[in-house]
Amino acid sequence: MHLPRWFAERVEPTAPDAELRVSTIELFFDLVFVFTITQLTSLLVGDFTRQDGEGFAGQGTVQAVLIFGLLWWMYSGYAWLTNTVPPERAARRVLILCGMAGFLIMALAVPRTFSGSGVTFAVGYLVIVLVHGGLYLQATAAIARVVPFNLAATALVFAAAFTDAPWNYALWTAALVLIWMSPIFIGQKGFPLHAAHIVERHGLLVIIVLGESIVAIGIGATDGHPGAALIVAALLGLALTASLWWVYFGRGESGPEHALMRAEVVQRTRLILGAYFYAHIPILLGVVATAAGIKKAVGHDHLGLGPAVALAGGTAMFLLGDLWFRRVLGVGRTAVRVAAALLAAATVPIGLWSSAAHLGALVVLLVVMICVETAL
């Protein structure tokens, strides 16, 4: 039995220091992944309106974290995949599109993954695991060490679909722990990565995910008439999102890229794992929580406790994630961001009084932080 020529042909590894830029199909792929982020935001918003007897307190938040954990692992796997196997040939692009289909299936299942759509989610996850492993095999046999962990996590998600609470949550947690701890057993020597591509790919993803906050402004504005108060709240929501963009991108991308380029290949892979996988988890979850808070802040005079915590906590989580990211790479000053994160978390009472004041306080805090960092 012979494999198809396009698949059997080995991909010669590109030198780790060679230039590799993000392709348009990767950006197209990211749009589907961000749709899952939108769905996770809806789970958080569901917590704000949950009635007594409708699950446990914080149920949507727990579900969002568990689902995001598995999705982020495989998204990062695809970012590493296209870093090693550039999707330049038609057959590879078709398989990348199949991976997109898997992500879309999971995104559609997200709202009811823990209450009837668990099998659908697991099927989508199996698709992306198989496509990822198959494409990666063209470049390196090292992926054979990763695939068993991914398949085992998929099996746990399938099992959770046929299990009631709390055991389904236990199985999801086991799946998450299994794949997140797998690098300890796998090692990273078999995955040389191109620094510029990783920096650019994740930077573009952060921009697209921040766009979710802009969408949240529009959704929140549909609940009221475009009067002065609504416009002010919407502009403050935009200013908060722009401030988060400035926090992440204000110093440019050259610092992280140079830090990765200075490291030898194995150390570079470990830095990427720490900075662009683990540290980006609070960054992206912070955006999700902030977007959920903005969605409730626009069009409402004041916030309930849940949306106020989401808005303040999401901003603080983003700052702490960015702090972690920069400490791993050893770039930028970080002390000011610790204080800013603590102050952001303390703004919850403002939201209980006025949603616009809460948005304004967070904008002022971030602008002051940025100005202080620039002056130092």
Side-chain angles (χ1 to χ4, degrees), residues 32-265:
V32 177
F33 175 73
V34 171
F35 176 48
T36 65
I37 300 296
T38 304
Q39 297 288 73
L40 294 179
T41 301
S42 68
L43 288 178
L44 293 183
V45 173
D47 269 350
F48 306 155
T49 57
R50 193 176 307 281
Q51 303 296 322
D52 292 340
E54 296 181 354
F56 57 88
Q59 176 177 292
T61 301
V62 172
Q63 292 177 1
V65 170
L66 291 173
I67 293 172
F68 175 82
L70 265 69
L71 291 174
W72 180 239
W73 172 260
M74 285 311 303
Y75 172 84
S76 298
Y78 273 80
W80 288 32
L81 165 67
T82 52
N83 190 283
T84 306
V85 187
E88 298 171 348
R89 302 168 68 174
R92 293 178 196 157
R93 292 174 179 174
V94 169
L95 284 177
I96 292 293
L97 292 173
C98 289
M100 290 175 62
F103 269 101
L104 181 61
I105 291 170
M106 290 187 294
L108 295 173
V110 161
R112 295 182 57 83
T113 294
F114 287 80
S115 58
S117 299
V119 172
T120 303
F121 185 96
V123 168
Y125 204 78
L126 179 61
V127 170
I128 65 172
V129 166
L130 294 178
V131 171
H132 174 263
L135 269 173
Y136 227 133
L137 278 173
Q138 293 186 60
T140 173
I143 192 63
R145 294 176 290 163
V146 180
V147 172
F149 288 92
N150 292 343
L151 290 176
T154 306
L156 289 170
V157 174
F158 266 111
F162 299 98
T163 308
D164 295 328
W167 300 111
N168 57 342
Y169 288 91
L171 289 169
W172 270 80
T173 302
L176 193 58
V177 171
L178 177 66
I179 56 176
W180 279 19
M181 297 298 290
S182 63
I184 296 175
F185 305 100
I186 296 168
Q188 298 91 39
K189 292 184 179 180
F191 301 97
L193 298 169
H194 301 82
H197 179 272
I198 289 291
V199 173
E200 183 182 11
R201 179 76 184 270
H202 287 79
L204 291 171
L205 176 66
V206 170
I207 290 176
I208 297 173
V209 174
L210 283 171
E212 165 62 14
S213 297
I214 307 300
V215 174
I217 294 172
I219 295 175
T222 59
D223 296 334
H225 299 289
L230 181 63
I231 291 174
V232 168
L235 290 175
L236 288 171
L238 175 60
L240 178 57
T241 303
S243 299
L244 294 179
W245 173 88
W246 202 294
V247 167
Y248 187 91
F249 293 102
R251 295 180 179 272
E253 299 182 8
S254 59
E257 185 174 334
H258 291 160
L260 293 175
M261 290 297 295
R262 287 194 297 267
E264 53 88 19
V265 173

